Amino acid sequence: MKARIRGICCWLSPCYLCGSPTGEVGGLCEACLEGFNPRVFTADNSFPGIDSIMVPWWYDYPLMMVIRALKYRGALYLAEALAQGWKRCPIAVKPDCVMPVPLSRHRWRERGYNQARELAKPLAHILACPVVEGLERTRHTCPQASLPRQARQTNVAGAFRVIRPVAGLRVALVDDVLTTGATVTAAALALREAGVGGLQIWVLAQARSPNDP
């Protein structure tokens, strides 16, 4: 009964961007989801310790508005809708678990939730594998968005520690946006040192660099 009520509410709920009725997932209508700028993704990448990066979109307007609403304004209901973008990504190797990039305790107290964990839950459903909280932040860091590119790697270097057995596991590490890759690279280093069997990065969007079209 609860599932039926939830389904009805989703169909009647307006799209966050255009106000049109949404489908079963809710939050965003199909037209708005299809209107985000698609990112051409590939298994080849230049980030050390990472096997592949799954990213369906570029971090452009109006998608950035939706991600910021999820990240900073508590619009957690948007996570499931945004996760639908990952269904476009080809899965060469199925991961054993989905792992969110953690927040520091300071940031958790400030925000009250971790947007990466909210995204990890629908992704785990898509990939049919569990969510594992396998990382923690060893120290509070400045928000990456507030720093210039050259300072981001230093900011998060050594900021992660593995807190669950991960040796041999194929891990899908989840975050919202990929900019310089400093955060996921630092997390990947900790996981590689703990012996993961494979490491995929799943992000919603990638910020454009000066060389991107």
Side-chain angles (χ1 to χ4, degrees):
M1 186 65 171
K2 289 183 179 178
R4 183 181 177 187
I5 293 173
R6 178 181 177 277
I8 293 172
C9 290
C10 286
W11 280 101
L12 295 177
S13 66
C15 173
Y16 178 82
L17 287 174
C18 71
S20 298
T22 59
E24 186 176 349
V25 173
L28 293 166
C29 70
E30 190 67 27
C32 284
L33 280 169
E34 289 298 320
F36 298 146
N37 290 334
R39 167 76 167 94
V40 178
F41 42 80
T42 173
D44 298 324
N45 64 83
S46 58
F47 299 107
I50 295 170
D51 300 322
S52 61
I53 297 179
M54 305 298 186
V55 49
W57 298 304
W58 287 107
Y59 189 57
D60 293 335
Y61 179 88
L63 174 60
M64 62 176 58
M65 291 176 53
V66 183
I67 293 178
R68 288 173 181 173
L70 166 66
K71 187 170 184 174
Y72 300 117
R73 295 195 286 276
L76 305 186
Y77 68 97
L78 293 172
E80 188 174 359
L82 288 167
Q84 302 310 299
W86 281 318
K87 291 182 177 180
R88 301 176 58 246
C89 298
I91 304 171
V93 179
K94 184 179 179 297
D96 297 311
C97 66
V98 174
M99 188 177 297
V101 171
L103 294 179
S104 66
R105 293 180 181 178
H106 173 83
R107 192 76 64 227
W108 180 272
R109 288 193 298 267
E110 181 180 76
R111 194 173 297 169
Y113 63 93
N114 177 7
Q115 76 281 352
R117 188 177 190 280
E118 298 304 315
L119 291 166
K121 290 184 285 187
L123 178 60
H125 180 73
I126 292 170
L127 298 176
C129 61
V131 175
V132 173
E133 302 276 359
L135 286 170
E136 72 173 5
R137 295 251 183 177
T138 58
R139 56 185 173 82
H140 177 59
T141 57
C142 296
Q144 290 287 83
S146 68
L147 298 174
R149 280 179 170 263
Q150 59 270 25
R152 294 189 180 197
Q153 288 188 339
T154 303
N155 184 49
V156 293
F160 298 98
R161 178 174 63 188
V162 177
I163 57 173
R164 297 284 187 273
V166 296
L169 291 180
R170 297 184 298 270
V171 174
L173 187 66
V174 181
D175 207 358
D176 52 358
V177 178
L178 182 72
T179 305
T180 63
T183 298
V184 294
T185 299
L189 178 60
L191 288 166
R192 285 295 186 188
E193 289 179 346
V196 291
L199 185 57
Q200 306 169 5
I201 304 300
W202 292 72
V203 293
L204 292 174
Q206 181 173 358
R208 295 181 188 271
S209 70
N211 296 325
D212 289 322

